[in-house]
Amino acid sequence: MLMKHIEQDLRVLSEIHALVEPIGPQHDDKLKTLKERLTQKPLNTGKCLIFTQYADTAKYLYENLNPTGVREDIEVIYSGYKSR
């Protein structure tokens, strides 16, 4: 019985994955909104910290806010870092 439930969960998760996998940064409305807001006052006049619970989200935002990696004013820090 447990195996049936696990198999069903795997099917559902596979379906969900298939639905969201094609959604990239170019289709991410929340990312687009964040980028737009960061260009407006007061967010564009000083430091702006973005906190997230998930390291994957922090990496995703960093990679999409600083895609070339050359901007020194954008940084990502994970909770495991000794020097913050």
Side-chain angles (χ1 to χ4, degrees):
M1 187 67 143
L2 177 60
M3 285 303 292
K4 271 189 166 182
H5 289 282
I6 291 172
E7 289 169 359
Q8 174 61 22
D9 289 347
L10 287 173
R11 279 192 296 277
V12 169
L13 290 171
S14 292
E15 290 174 22
I16 292 170
H17 182 264
L19 291 170
V20 299
E21 185 189 22
I23 301 172
Q26 67 277 13
H27 299 102
D28 185 340
D29 290 337
K30 289 181 182 179
L31 179 62
K32 289 178 186 177
T33 300
L34 175 62
K35 285 180 171 182
E36 177 63 28
R37 293 292 314 271
L38 289 173
T39 65
Q40 300 170 358
K41 290 186 184 227
L43 298 179
N44 70 346
T45 60
K47 292 182 182 182
C48 178
L49 297 175
I50 300 171
F51 292 93
T52 179
Q53 183 174 354
Y54 301 103
D56 287 346
T57 302
K59 182 181 176 198
Y60 174 80
L61 290 175
Y62 176 75
E63 289 173 350
N64 286 284
L65 294 174
N66 189 14
T68 60
V70 297
R71 289 190 59 178
E72 293 182 12
D73 61 333
I74 297 177
E75 185 59 67
V76 64
I77 299 173
Y78 303 100
S79 64
Y81 283 12
K82 300 260 187 240
S83 175
R84 298 185 189 139

